[in-house]
Amino acid sequence: MASPISSRLLVAAVFAAALLLPACGGGGGGSGTGSSEASGNFGLLSSNLNEGMTWELNRLMEFEFNNPIDPDTVSFSTVRFSSSEVNQPVTGSFEIKSDGTGRTLVFRPHCPTSQGNDNGSFVPGGYEYLLTIASSSKFGADVLRDVDGRQLTQGVSRTFYSPEAVGGGLFVDYVSGPLQLDVNNPIEWPAGLNLFSDPDSFVRINFNQAIDARPGNLNSRNLYILFADGEVGSVNEDVFPEDNRLPGTLSVGDNCQSDGSTVIFAVSGILPTNRKLKVVIKREFADIAGEENAADLTTPIYTVPTLAEYFNDSTVAWGSTEVVDEYSNDFTSTADLDLTTGLPLPAADVGDGFMQASFDFPGGFTTLDFLLNSGYSEIFTNSQTFFTDSNNTTFTIQNGVLNCRDFTIEAGSELRGRGDNPLIIYATGDVRIDGRLNVSGNHAVWPTGLNSPQRPEGGAKGECGGGDGGTSSQEVFQETYRGMSGNGAFNFSGQGGQGGESGFNQSSNTTSPYSKQSINNIAAGGGGGTFAITANVSPHRYRWTKDDRMPEIDKNYDADHMLFYDT
């Protein structure tokens, strides 16, 4: 077995990001022209990933550091995987090795389930991958920290390769021998009958090691469930004909974990009462390395409860009593509604036998369909304007409000919102956006005053109700230690992104009579606008000398520039 690993801290698919389409966008900020308890610096001691290695699809990556790792800083932002040859994100989970030290970070790749083994963390075929763990010297990067907040001081970069797609060597066989059922918890059965009104439909089959999860191995030929030919007490209670297969579907629960793997059988329909069930695992059902058993695995027998046991009532003549499985709700009250669930819209109104929306549709009803399939177009939100779509249909836009039936932006087309008011679209039919609906603010322009510090740089204009960016370099007779904050929605003053701190040249080596601190300082950039009225507080880590410390800078351990001679 592999070294023991603690429970997963993070399970994520990299780059799987939710898309947010704001009603209005803020502009960019103006371009700027200008005590730990851990001993020693936080650094990497060793790793089992060396430069140029061929890495099996399920092999664990381990990184041992000199100090215990802060698990809250472990993510795919601080430990990054990339490949210029594979157009597929790397997925997996990070764990802290449970050896009592808290110093070893483990990356556990996701194991593939496709027939070509190409939907896991890494794609076979000898492709090149790059692992990067950024350090505190890397500008703008999220950084791994120890439990005392000390940032990683030396970055890590490793190039490695996936195994070839053909032949052996795709996987590491961490457990010798073929598959066996988990000794302590082989099979978990439903507690009831899987009635539609009280579903409990999963049979969990637990193995001692990872399985070959490809459809050619995990299928109903190699793994299925039989029910007995007769009820308990009859002569056929232990007879399991091959035709008596329980209907259901197979899927992978957990695989490539430190404690083995789990196959889930989802039962379709109601379980046969007072019958014995048996899981059949054929000898051909292989582990992840392709090892098979010499004979079918022997599995424990499970007995489905009787109706008397299920209803806990032995006074009823169940053999002659009709049992109806149904669920109904007349919605006369909110008793069966989850009122604690966070919803983006108000909860529905519930009355005597009905449920309906608690608010009226705010838009206007029309039979006009909106279609854009002709590339880039701009739509304006100030006062009354007119827009003609790709079907030559003209829409009247009143203060940024567009009413239509179907709303469609086809692939390759972009609708760009411009103006002071939000762009609001009310559609009573289908909405499909395969192209781009853009209501973002404008980027800040290239600074015009590179050699003119007395000239402030204004922030870019927001669009569709978004706030303008903040002004940079506004202190014209001295260094600007921080740019102005951007405006909030509808240009509420100072409620956008917080202005940037003055920058510095981190690698400055000068013989100038001026202090190194002054040489490093350059002008600060303005903050971006926002599409929200609430404040957007910028995080800072302040590691300047005490004399230069600014009172508005906090002292948390978020990413920021750092001078290495600070006190």
Side-chain angles (χ1 to χ4, degrees):
M1 286 290 287
S3 301
I5 305 296
S6 67
S7 299
R8 283 178 288 176
L9 297 172
L10 301 167
V11 178
V14 198
F15 311 132
L19 295 177
L20 174 64
L21 179 65
C24 47
S31 302
T33 59
S35 83
S36 173
E37 296 179 1
S39 59
N41 292 330
F42 181 41
L44 180 70
L45 296 179
S46 64
S47 173
N48 64 343
L49 175 63
N50 297 321
E51 180 70 20
M53 292 183 67
T54 296
W55 202 259
E56 292 88 343
L57 303 182
N58 68 323
R59 181 179 289 277
L60 306 180
M61 289 186 185
E62 297 192 5
F63 306 91
E64 182 183 3
F65 296 88
N66 62 331
N67 293 331
I69 306 160
D70 179 1
D72 291 336
T73 66
V74 179
S75 70
F76 283 107
S77 296
T78 54
V79 182
R80 302 180 182 181
F81 293 91
S82 61
S83 175
S84 61
E85 301 178 346
V86 179
N87 187 24
Q88 178 174 309
V90 174
T91 60
S93 61
F94 294 105
E95 309 163 6
I96 303 299
K97 193 171 184 178
S98 58
D99 56 2
T101 66
R103 296 189 293 110
T104 300
L105 176 65
V106 178
F107 174 71
R108 185 181 296 276
H110 281 166
C111 283
T113 59
S114 63
Q115 195 61 36
N117 286 315
D118 56 1
N119 66 342
S121 293
F122 309 119
V123 177
Y127 296 113
E128 181 179 282
Y129 287 85
L130 176 65
L131 165 80
T132 304
I133 305 179
S135 68
S136 57
S137 63
K138 182 69 174 177
F139 172 73
D142 290 335
V143 181
L144 204 65
R145 297 185 177 91
D146 64 17
V147 292
D148 291 323
R150 193 178 296 271
Q151 294 182 338
L152 186 68
T153 57
Q154 183 64 44
V156 180
S157 179
R158 298 282 190 277
T159 298
F160 62 98
Y161 299 88
S162 66
E164 294 296 334
V166 295
L170 288 179
F171 300 97
V172 178
D173 192 2
Y174 281 107
V175 180
S176 60
L179 281 170
Q180 300 295 323
L181 288 171
D182 184 273
V183 175
N184 299 318
N185 187 27
I187 301 176
E188 302 171 57
W189 295 92
L193 299 176
N194 192 36
L195 300 178
F196 297 112
S197 58
D198 186 21
D200 184 11
S201 60
F202 298 117
V203 180
R204 292 173 172 83
I205 308 161
N206 302 313
F207 294 96
N208 68 330
Q209 57 181 295
I211 65 167
D212 178 356
R214 294 180 297 171
N217 184 62
L218 181 60
N219 55 53
S220 58
R221 297 187 305 275
N222 291 338
L223 196 156
Y224 51 91
I225 299 177
L226 297 176
F227 60 91
D229 209 30
E231 293 190 11
V232 174
S234 69
V235 294
N236 291 330
E237 67 170 303
D238 293 315
V239 178
F240 295 89
E242 280 291 316
D243 292 338
N244 284 10
R245 295 199 178 193
L246 202 66
T249 57
L250 292 166
S251 61
V252 180
D254 288 309
N255 200 18
C256 297
Q257 299 301 313
S258 59
D259 53 354
S261 60
T262 298
V263 172
I264 295 177
F265 184 91
V267 181
S268 300
I270 299 173
L271 293 173
T273 60
N274 199 30
R275 300 285 183 108
K276 294 181 179 179
L277 304 180
K278 179 176 72 172
V279 176
V280 177
I281 305 172
K282 306 298 288 186
R283 65 175 184 82
E284 295 87 358
F285 189 60
D287 67 9
I288 197 168
E291 290 187 87
E292 299 179 356
N293 281 285
D296 296 350
L297 290 180
T298 301
T299 61
I301 301 296
Y302 172 75
T303 302
V304 181
T306 64
L307 291 175
E309 292 169 336
Y310 179 77
F311 290 106
N312 194 26
D313 188 349
S314 58
T315 63
V316 177
W318 294 106
S320 58
T321 300
E322 181 181 6
V323 178
V324 177
D325 177 29
E326 65 180 9
Y327 174 80
S328 63
N329 193 335
D330 57 8
F331 295 108
T332 57
S333 71
T334 59
D336 293 326
L337 300 181
D338 185 1
L339 301 178
T340 63
T341 300
L343 298 174
L345 296 173
D349 287 334
V350 177
D352 187 5
F354 72 90
M355 179 183 295
Q356 67 182 22
S358 60
F359 58 93
D360 293 331
F361 178 63
F365 291 89
T366 178
T367 59
L368 300 180
D369 295 330
F370 183 99
L371 172 66
L372 183 64
N373 62 2
S374 54
Y376 179 85
S377 294
E378 293 185 345
I379 189 169
F380 296 90
T381 66
N382 287 351
S383 64
Q384 185 182 79
T385 59
F386 301 93
F387 183 88
T388 302
D389 71 352
S390 300
N391 280 333
N392 206 31
T393 302
T394 299
F395 293 85
T396 301
I397 315 301
Q398 189 68 42
N399 293 321
V401 178
L402 166 66
N403 290 287
C404 62
R405 185 172 59 184
D406 293 345
F407 180 85
T408 304
I409 301 178
E410 294 193 351
S413 295
E414 177 179 346
L415 182 64
R416 178 67 160 100
R418 299 283 191 188
D420 298 327
N421 297 318
L423 176 60
I424 301 174
I425 300 170
Y426 292 120
T428 58
D430 296 331
V431 174
R432 196 183 83 242
I433 302 175
D434 296 324
R436 188 181 187 195
L437 178 58
N438 184 0
V439 291
S440 58
N442 298 284
H443 294 297
V445 298
W446 185 260
T448 59
L450 288 176
N451 297 312
S452 303
Q454 75 279 4
R455 182 184 301 168
E457 296 291 338
K461 177 178 173 53
E463 298 286 4
C464 297
D468 296 342
T471 301
S472 67
S473 302
Q474 72 271 22
E475 299 290 339
V476 296
F477 298 111
Q478 62 182 10
E479 295 92 344
T480 299
Y481 285 102
R482 167 169 288 174
M484 294 179 64
S485 296
N487 290 336
F490 307 104
N491 279 321
F492 276 74
S493 177
Q495 293 186 352
Q498 199 169 83
E501 297 175 62
S502 60
F504 64 94
N505 180 358
Q506 194 159 243
S507 60
S508 173
N509 293 307
T510 179
T511 58
S512 169
Y514 295 99
S515 69
K516 189 173 184 179
Q517 176 75 52
S518 298
I519 292 296
N520 279 353
N521 286 344
I522 59 177
T530 182
F531 56 82
I533 296 180
T534 56
N536 181 10
V537 179
S538 174
H540 301 276
R541 182 184 181 190
Y542 190 65
R543 297 293 295 273
W544 290 357
T545 58
K546 292 181 179 178
D547 293 337
D548 282 335
R549 181 167 293 167
M550 294 163 55
E552 66 268 32
I553 305 296
D554 58 23
K555 303 174 184 178
N556 62 28
Y557 287 97
D558 290 314
D560 192 14
H561 304 305
M562 180 177 70
L563 294 175
F564 297 110
Y565 55 87
D566 63 332
T567 57

